[in-house]
Amino acid sequence: MIIVTGAAGFIGSCLVGKLNRQGHENIILVDDFSREDKRPNWESKKYVDRIERNKFLPWLKENLTRVEFVYHLGARTDTTEFDKAVFDELNVHFSQEVFKACAEGGIPLIYASSAATYGLGEFGYKDDNDLAYKLKPLNPYGESKNDFDKWALQQKVTPPIWKGIKFFNVFGPNEFHKGRMASVVFHTFNQVRDTGKMKLFRSHDPAYKDGQQLRDFIYVKDAEDVLYFLLKAKGENGLYNLGTGQARTFLDLARSTFVSMGLAPEISFIDTPEDIRDKYQYFTEADMTKMRMIGYDKDFSPLEFAIEDYVKNHLIPGRYY
């Protein structure tokens, strides 16, 4: 069986759909299934069982011989949450138990790390394992992901194959439930639909003009292709970036959303909220060399193409994926 934690969430539910389309139905979904706003993400998927997150660790330890592979994508991902204890419990301690169980059972493990570990990018965006010890994340979420990365790298007993995937800015269908943490494409679509206009965060760094902040935006349909590739990929254990390798501006992203909606862009700027202003990344760009070296050779969707697909095939019709 293949386990997907975070299966009711954004990337997890898209991955389950990808596995289904590739003929895999022997899947165990793990999440907190009490949230009704996540139900459309998973209810049409094919799987053999659903397990509540708080019951998963005992279940896993009792069923190690039945599990073929674990995708551990479940996490607390709110970058505006500053209670470190929340992240320690869900992103560090829970993940450590999953890692140790996979090591005991000889089960390959792919888990979700984050580009938030890179902080301001003062050490670059190369996914060398040794770099993890230098990084200075900007918030407790990024710290928790880097803490677990460092812990995993220090373990002498590990799963036979394990990779921590540093997701950059993922956007696409099935993020309807994410609220403030949803992508700028999602928020742009909703603002434009409701008001005909879009307000982006103003730059508070003189090195960047308003709207010229740069991020590595990756479409979730590309991210799921990489995750599926990792089901059978070899290569050294450790940390791997997952972005497109090409940073684009928020203005590019917003304008493409307007165009996909058949409208002329009307964009203004507002101050970045003070609670995240000093923890704001102005530039991210994944170095994808390592992932390419282990054999991933597909091109990533151009930003404009990805946004058009997302807007026309999912956001306008309200269609899940």
Side-chain angles (χ1 to χ4, degrees):
M1 293 184 296
I2 298 172
I3 290 172
V4 179
T5 75
F10 169 36
I11 299 173
S13 64
C14 290
L15 173 61
V16 174
K18 173 72 174 182
L19 291 168
N20 284 171
R21 291 189 296 277
Q22 295 297 322
H24 299 279
E25 298 180 8
N26 57 333
I27 304 170
I28 301 289
L29 310 186
V30 180
D31 211 314
D32 173 1
F33 293 98
S34 64
R35 284 184 57 176
E36 283 299 310
D37 59 349
K38 288 185 175 183
R39 177 177 289 273
N41 281 357
W42 59 264
E43 63 182 353
S44 65
K45 303 297 193 291
K46 297 176 181 177
Y47 56 92
V48 296
D49 203 359
R50 283 188 293 118
I51 300 176
E52 291 290 335
R53 181 185 67 207
N54 59 6
K55 298 179 180 178
F56 172 59
L57 289 175
W59 181 94
L60 177 60
K61 292 170 184 177
E62 293 173 5
N63 291 274
L64 292 177
T65 59
R66 301 172 59 200
V67 177
E68 174 189 357
F69 201 95
V70 174
Y71 287 103
H72 178 40
L73 306 182
R76 182 64 179 268
T77 60
D78 188 347
T79 57
T80 65
E81 168 68 67
F82 290 98
D83 184 351
K84 188 175 184 297
V86 171
F87 293 108
D88 284 345
E89 177 188 352
L90 296 178
N91 294 1
V92 181
H93 300 147
F94 189 93
S95 297
Q96 288 172 343
E97 293 304 310
V98 173
F99 189 98
K100 288 187 283 189
C102 289
E104 180 183 343
I107 303 164
L109 169 68
I110 300 298
Y111 75 84
S113 182
S114 171
T117 58
Y118 288 114
L120 290 174
E122 57 266 65
F123 299 104
Y125 294 94
K126 195 167 179 62
D127 45 7
D128 287 340
N129 293 341
D130 292 343
L131 186 63
Y133 301 97
K134 298 180 181 178
L135 297 178
K136 299 175 182 178
L138 299 174
N139 52 47
Y141 165 67
E143 289 172 357
S144 70
K145 287 298 188 179
N146 200 52
D147 285 347
F148 180 71
D149 288 345
K150 291 185 291 185
W151 178 89
L153 289 166
Q154 292 167 357
Q155 300 312 297
K156 297 209 172 8
V157 180
T158 72
I161 296 172
W162 70 270
K163 294 177 174 62
I165 307 305
K166 295 197 175 203
F167 289 95
F168 279 66
N169 284 67
V170 188
F171 69 94
N174 294 13
E175 61 171 336
F176 295 96
H177 64 281
K178 288 178 67 67
R180 186 180 178 183
M181 290 295 103
S183 73
V184 176
V185 180
F186 180 82
H187 289 300
T188 300
F189 173 82
N190 287 316
Q191 280 193 40
V192 174
R193 180 194 60 196
D194 297 341
T195 70
K197 305 174 183 179
M198 177 58 186
K199 296 179 180 179
L200 293 175
F201 288 154
R202 180 173 289 114
S203 173
H204 299 272
D205 182 336
Y208 295 86
K209 295 180 181 179
D210 292 343
Q212 297 295 325
Q213 304 95 315
L214 291 153
R215 296 284 179 87
D216 192 331
F217 301 105
I218 179 169
Y219 197 28
V220 72
K221 295 184 182 182
D222 289 330
E224 71 184 24
D225 285 347
V226 175
L227 290 172
Y228 185 73
F229 160 79
L230 292 172
L231 183 65
K232 298 179 180 178
K234 305 301 182 185
E236 67 173 293
N237 293 335
L239 306 176
Y240 287 79
N241 284 336
L242 181 44
T244 65
Q246 182 179 8
R248 298 290 299 273
T249 71
F250 281 99
L251 270 177
D252 289 336
L253 184 144
R255 286 168 177 160
S256 294
T257 306
F258 274 95
V259 170
S260 297
M261 298 174 73
L263 299 170
E266 190 167 342
I267 301 167
S268 59
F269 299 94
I270 58 173
D271 287 344
T272 303
E274 290 191 10
D275 64 336
I276 63 172
R277 190 178 300 175
D278 62 345
K279 306 179 187 305
Y280 185 85
Q281 292 173 305
Y282 278 82
F283 172 82
T284 67
E285 186 174 78
D287 183 326
M288 292 298 293
T289 305
K290 198 171 175 182
M291 187 71 74
R292 295 301 193 187
M293 287 180 65
I294 66 169
Y296 190 77
D297 58 5
K298 288 184 67 174
D299 292 333
F300 293 104
S301 302
L303 183 66
E304 292 78 5
F305 173 87
I307 290 175
E308 181 179 22
D309 180 69
Y310 184 24
V311 169
K312 292 184 175 179
N313 295 317
H314 299 283
L315 290 175
I316 290 175
R319 184 181 298 134
Y320 287 80
Y321 177 57

